[in-house]
Amino acid sequence: MKVFSGIQPTGEPHIGNYSGGFRQYAATQEQGEAYFCIVDLHAITVGHDPKELYDGTLDIGAMLFATGLDPERSTVFVQSHVTAHAEAAWLLGSVTSFGELRRMTQFKEKADQQEFVSAALFGYPTLMAGDILLYQTDIVPIGDDQRQHLELTRDVAERFNQRFGETFRIPDGVYPEAGARVMDLQEPTKKMSKSFGTEAGKVLLMDDADTIRRKVKRAVADSGREVRHDLDEKPGISNLIELMTVATGETIQEVEARFDGHGYGDFKEAVGEALVALLTPIQERYRELRSDPAELGRLLAIGADKAREASAPTLEAMYERMGFAQPS
Ligand code: ATP
Ligand code: LTN
């Protein structure tokens, strides 16, 4: 079983990224040969600051190990270190239509936020498709927001296979049962996001304990007083219930039962404490790893070597089947 996922080294990671990303990576690495990629090439699709990209790459590297990736078991690497990714994106651009890319929700949302809409932002999904397909991936652990990109990846892979012969395995997305779409604490009908929303709306993985408690306490609740999961009637409380499941591993029903008869105040306090208990040890490991950039660089260099080797045969097959003349 091959596992692949990617995370952008931009902005500060939040509890939504932990739920849809980091924690699933650590869990799925147990299932087989796993690749986790810091997608720096994706990070330049919106205006970026070079220094922030540089630091963010090491920050995310440290966070991937701090949240449980084992460098002995998983291949953790930086996208731009493996040139096959940029090449695959170009080749796949020829089997992706303008119409398909134009329909992508993330493109529309991000384009609305930018004054300068780059061609790279438009082509972003072909780069992501290449990331996944180069490794003959079976499963892709992601959050709900990436569902549409994964569907496009499958369509593009099938089209390539039909036109040029069986080349890619068709990957499946893996989404968490609860917490696949963590919502903003202040606007619980919008996804918690690195790039949108206010500071008060997101619990950052590096927030200190008091900040976490305060943000959860001030989270928008709903009318009524029952701690019950109901996305239509109670988006705020449902979101906090899902965060509790992320922090403790309980099911939604178990959380509801535990807080039956309790008011919102008690419940919020407990969610805050559970998040503090989850994040404190992660923060300690993160600080340790981040304080040794040389060691981090060494681990990422080993990852890049392994990823180069693993992706080369598929890239070669792509060139060959598409009719590019090979030196003999
Ligand atoms: P932004 O929040 O700015 O849209 P992103 O989605 O681009 O950031 P990435 O760092 O690329 O963030 O995503 C890493 C992982 O986190 C992806 O698997 C993504 O699906 C997941 N993710 C992002 N936001 C959430 C959320 N609110 N709930 C659950 N998973 C999420
Ligand atoms: N688009 C994703 C990041 C990403 C990714 C990938 C995820 C880039 N390449 C390959 C899974 C597999 C995002 O914005 N979260």
Side-chain angles (χ1 to χ4, degrees):
M1 172 83 87
K2 296 226 185 120
V3 182
F4 185 99
S5 196
I7 180 155
Q8 301 197 61
T10 41
E12 291 184 274
H14 51 73
I15 194 72
N17 298 133
Y18 178 78
S19 180
F22 298 107
R23 85 175 155 140
Q24 289 210 92
Y25 307 157
T28 48
Q29 76 178 336
E30 311 291 333
Q31 295 179 27
E33 196 178 316
Y35 297 85
F36 299 104
C37 182
I38 304 169
V39 293
D40 54 353
L41 297 173
H42 279 92
I44 62 163
T45 55
V46 294
H48 81 284
D49 176 72
K51 167 99 172 71
E52 278 173 24
L53 179 61
Y54 189 99
D55 291 340
T57 300
L58 294 180
D59 294 348
I60 291 293
M63 193 54 87
L64 286 167
F65 294 119
T67 47
L69 289 186
D70 173 358
E72 299 283 322
R73 185 183 283 247
S74 294
T75 301
V76 179
F77 69 104
V78 178
Q79 191 181 31
S80 65
H81 296 179
V82 182
T83 53
H85 290 252
E87 294 176 68
W90 181 255
L91 300 184
L92 292 174
S94 75
V95 286
T96 312
S97 75
F98 177 79
E100 281 174 317
L101 291 175
R102 191 173 43 182
R103 280 197 291 278
M104 292 293 114
T105 310
Q106 186 174 295
F107 170 71
K108 289 190 267 186
E109 280 174 6
K110 291 204 171 168
D112 273 348
Q113 307 278 322
Q114 313 289 318
E115 216 169 282
F116 181 89
V117 179
S118 70
L121 184 64
F122 192 65
Y124 178 116
T126 59
L127 181 59
M128 175 162 166
D131 297 340
I132 298 168
L133 299 175
L134 276 173
Y135 296 85
Q136 302 295 340
T137 302
D138 297 287
I139 58 168
V140 185
I142 36 178
D144 203 50
D145 60 314
Q146 296 303 314
R147 213 176 263 275
Q148 202 185 26
H149 288 157
L150 190 83
E151 286 307 314
L152 180 70
T153 300
R154 292 165 57 94
D155 292 345
V156 165
E158 275 167 9
R159 192 172 301 138
F160 189 103
N161 284 349
Q162 258 170 15
R163 277 198 201 164
F164 303 114
E166 219 39 50
T167 307
F168 301 124
R169 196 166 302 169
I170 310 298
D172 286 310
V174 171
Y175 309 89
E177 265 172 45
R181 195 173 190 78
V182 173
M183 304 312 250
D184 188 284
L185 298 180
Q186 292 299 317
E187 285 184 84
T189 51
K190 299 211 171 105
K191 137 183 148 76
M192 188 182 286
S193 161
K194 285 198 230 165
S195 43
F196 312 124
T198 59
E199 177 76 29
K202 47 196 155 212
V203 172
L204 301 178
L205 299 187
M206 291 309 287
D207 273 341
D208 63 48
D210 283 340
T211 307
I212 296 172
R213 293 188 184 103
R214 192 181 64 243
K215 285 179 177 174
V216 174
K217 194 165 156 202
R218 296 195 185 152
V220 169
D222 313 285
S223 54
R225 21 177 326 157
E226 252 181 297
V227 178
R228 186 167 48 81
H229 192 271
D230 180 335
L231 289 174
D232 295 326
E233 300 281 319
K234 291 170 167 276
I237 288 298
S238 303
N239 193 34
L240 293 178
I241 292 175
E242 295 201 30
L243 282 181
M244 186 64 120
T245 72
V246 171
T248 64
E250 290 165 294
T251 62
I252 290 174
Q253 292 71 26
E254 284 166 344
V255 176
E256 284 175 338
R258 183 148 71 92
F259 289 92
D260 189 26
H262 290 254
Y264 288 170
D266 277 2
F267 175 57
K268 281 179 163 183
E269 201 175 303
V271 173
E273 289 313 320
L275 289 175
V276 169
L278 169 75
L279 294 178
T280 306
I282 291 176
Q283 295 177 354
E284 280 167 19
R285 284 196 293 277
Y286 173 86
R287 286 200 185 92
E288 211 174 294
L289 288 153
R290 191 62 183 89
S291 67
D292 190 353
E295 173 60 7
L296 206 50
R298 190 185 71 83
L299 293 175
L300 294 174
I302 294 174
D305 284 341
K306 288 203 250 171
R308 262 182 228 112
E309 203 176 313
S311 57
T314 301
L315 185 68
E316 205 176 299
M318 289 169 75
Y319 277 124
E320 203 180 292
R321 300 206 176 136
M322 291 179 89
F324 288 92
Q326 304 291 316
S328 57

